[in-house]
């Protein structure tokens, strides 16, 4: 079981066969920007900065359309 931080989780996810098919989004505050970018280096596909708005989610869906269509299959 994972008892560590988000980076430990990202390391675990990156090692899983499903990583390629799952959109991993790091979420953080503007003051944590360096950590959020590090999360992308550790396996997150992209990131969002809090507070997250509906427009942010729409933009995310538009940038990664294949992830949403595969989920319906």
């Amino acid at each position: 079981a994972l008892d560590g931080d988000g980076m430990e989780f990202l390391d675990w996810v990156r090692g899983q066969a499903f990583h390629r098919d799952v959109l991993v989004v790091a979420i953080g505050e503007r003051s944590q920007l360096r950590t959020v970018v590090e999360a992308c280096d550790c396996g997150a596909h992209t990131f969002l900065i809090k507070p997250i708005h509906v427009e942010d989610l729409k933009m995310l869906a538009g940038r990664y359309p294949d992830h949403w269509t595969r989920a319906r299959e």
Side-chain angles (χ1 to χ4, degrees):
L2 295 173
D3 292 327
D5 60 16
M7 297 303 172
E8 183 180 348
F9 174 74
L10 287 171
D11 285 340
W12 177 82
V13 168
R14 188 176 51 205
Q16 304 306 306
F18 62 78
H19 177 255
R20 188 176 58 113
D21 297 323
V22 174
L23 181 63
V24 179
V25 181
I27 299 173
E29 297 177 17
R30 193 166 302 280
S31 63
Q32 300 171 317
L33 189 57
R34 185 175 303 206
T35 303
V36 173
V37 171
E38 182 181 337
C40 290
D41 291 341
C42 289
H45 296 104
T46 189
F47 64 90
L48 293 172
I49 299 297
K50 296 181 198 178
I52 299 169
H53 303 283
V54 172
E55 296 80 20
D56 299 325
L57 298 175
K58 287 179 181 178
M59 185 174 55
L60 181 68
R63 286 189 178 163
Y64 296 91
D66 291 343
H67 284 280
W68 314 112
T69 56
R70 272 189 277 177
R72 290 188 229 147
E73 296 176 353

